[in-house]
Amino acid sequence: MPQRLVDRSPVVPADQLVAQMVPPAMFDDVSFASYIPDPNEPSQAAAVAKTEEFSKRVAKIRAGGRRGLFGKKTQATGAGLYLDGGFGVGKTHLLASIFHSVPSPKAFGTFVELTHVVGALGFNKAVEAFSEHSVLCIDEFELDDPGDTMLVSRLLSELSTRGVSIVATSNTLPGQLGEGRFAAQDFMREIKKLGSIFETIRVDGPDYRHRDLPPAPEPISSEELVARAESVDGATLDNFDELCKHLSTLHPSRYNKLVEGVRAVYIDGVHPATDQSVALRFVVLADRLYDASIPVTVSGARLDAIFTPEMLAGGYKKKYLRAMSRLLALSRFEVATT
């Protein structure tokens, strides 16, 4: 009998929140050499060269410092790099390659994970926890509300002055973060401060996750879904509404543990999410499932129908499109049955 995600209530001790900030397992073995640039997209080869150069700079900053008055050694300001580009062009591959090539301690996490860690630890403890790191790698950088704007601006500015280098990926340029989501002009000073930390490079190209692939599989019947779930060791089977309700009871920093050890996820009765809070929590779940390469199979509506046209036209559009891209990729994964 398959397990249910709704029966899991994982707990993550505070001292493990930073320690678990490493690249997803699918990026364990990536490197600059294993990134294969598209010959039709010259920005990709340029990005590889730039990120490799950045890694060397990070190592020098952490090992060096500079001489101040009276010969006293002070810590150099951290470097900053921002990889801007569309979905599936290999930005996370390059980000993980930087992580693997620089000295420890170091941290890697999505923007959402970072804000959750800071929220759980408190600002001052978060600064101390990251201040000895050579680099903080932030995937899918985004600003969804004024609070996050202020929080991230303060954190990165503080860490940068302590010699921590910052590298981030996003599909929105630093100066445009927050557009369409809140009154960005009221926080433009903070947004510009964030942009000044980074040197921006562009990575162009089509989404590799869907290159030359057939459309996503159609949903299957509830009966077939149950039969498939029962045939896979380590699978979970949940009702969509019950799962969404359960997600609301867990801090998003616990979603990693929620899917830990799961081999395949089966969701019955999928339908469009009419509440934005529900949709945003499902985005976080989709990211954690994608990080762990866990196949997803559903009944009901298609996975690309979870987010309504109104949501896709709003300020969180890019976040929802990224989640759709990842969910469709997971829906194509083959699951080995018992």
Side-chain angles (χ1 to χ4, degrees):
M1 190 70 181
Q3 304 174 49
R4 299 195 308 166
L5 290 175
V6 297
D7 294 329
R8 295 183 168 202
S9 295
V11 175
V12 183
D15 60 353
Q16 292 183 17
L17 288 174
V18 175
Q20 71 180 11
M21 292 185 68
V22 297
M26 69 173 71
F27 296 105
D28 281 349
D29 300 318
V30 302
S31 65
F32 299 116
S34 66
Y35 183 100
I36 309 300
D38 185 335
N40 297 316
E41 301 290 349
S43 65
Q44 294 187 7
V48 174
K50 194 68 179 181
T51 49
E52 195 163 10
E53 175 188 315
F54 178 82
S55 293
K56 295 175 181 177
R57 186 180 172 196
V58 169
K60 287 182 180 178
I61 290 172
R62 220 46 198 168
R66 60 178 182 267
R67 296 288 176 182
L69 292 174
F70 312 111
K72 185 178 181 180
K73 193 173 183 181
T74 59
Q75 179 61 57
T77 301
L81 189 67
Y82 194 96
L83 304 178
D84 175 66
F87 307 112
V89 295
K91 301 187 303 295
T92 304
H93 182 129
L94 293 174
L95 189 68
S97 298
I98 291 173
F99 177 89
H100 292 314
S101 63
V102 301
S104 296
K106 49 196 173 182
F108 180 111
T110 65
F111 178 86
V112 172
E113 286 178 297
L114 176 62
T115 57
H116 292 160
V117 167
V118 177
L121 292 179
F123 183 81
N124 292 332
K125 286 187 178 180
V127 169
E128 292 304 316
F130 290 115
S131 63
E132 295 302 317
H133 285 50
S134 64
V135 72
L136 174 58
C137 299
I138 309 171
D139 202 17
E140 299 298 346
F141 201 102
E142 56 195 42
L143 295 177
D144 293 338
D145 59 52
D148 281 349
T149 304
M150 302 296 287
L151 177 71
V152 173
S153 177
R154 286 181 59 210
L155 178 69
L156 298 191
S157 296
E158 182 71 26
L159 293 177
S160 181
T161 61
R162 296 190 182 206
V164 181
S165 294
I166 312 292
V167 57
T169 75
S170 184
N171 45 52
T172 305
L173 291 169
Q176 297 173 324
L177 289 166
E179 283 188 359
R181 304 176 195 180
F182 55 86
Q185 65 273 17
D186 294 339
F187 299 91
M188 192 55 66
R189 182 177 63 181
E190 295 298 329
I191 292 172
K192 286 182 177 178
K193 186 188 299 182
L194 282 175
S196 69
I197 293 174
F198 300 107
E199 174 188 357
T200 302
I201 59 174
R202 179 75 186 176
V203 189
D204 293 307
D207 189 338
Y208 75 90
R209 286 187 285 264
H210 308 297
R211 210 176 291 161
D212 302 321
L213 291 175
E218 290 293 329
I220 59 179
S221 68
S222 294
E223 293 75 18
E224 186 178 355
L225 188 82
V226 172
R228 288 195 191 183
E230 291 176 343
S231 71
V232 178
D233 279 340
T236 60
L237 173 62
D238 289 90
N239 171 269
F240 179 72
D241 287 329
E242 291 178 356
L243 177 58
C244 290
K245 182 177 180 180
H246 184 60
L247 293 178
S248 71
T249 69
L250 301 176
H251 191 278
S253 64
R254 298 161 66 184
Y255 288 14
N256 262 330
K257 285 285 187 182
L258 179 68
V259 300
E260 188 174 71
V262 175
R263 286 191 56 220
V265 165
Y266 294 85
I267 306 175
D268 189 28
V270 168
H271 61 81
T274 56
D275 184 284
Q276 188 129 257
S277 296
V278 172
L280 290 172
R281 283 191 288 267
F282 205 82
V283 167
V284 179
L285 178 64
D287 286 341
R288 301 292 78 77
L289 292 171
Y290 183 76
D291 288 346
S293 301
I294 299 173
V296 176
T297 306
V298 302
S299 70
R302 291 169 55 103
L303 281 166
D304 55 4
I306 291 177
F307 310 111
T308 65
E310 292 76 17
M311 291 176 181
L312 294 177
Y316 299 106
K317 173 182 177 179
K318 290 183 178 179
K319 179 180 288 191
Y320 292 138
L321 289 176
R322 182 189 77 233
M324 285 169 53
S325 173
R326 292 181 165 185
L327 287 169
L328 293 183
L330 294 175
S331 72
R332 298 190 185 100
F333 283 12
E334 293 292 331
V335 184
T337 58
T338 55

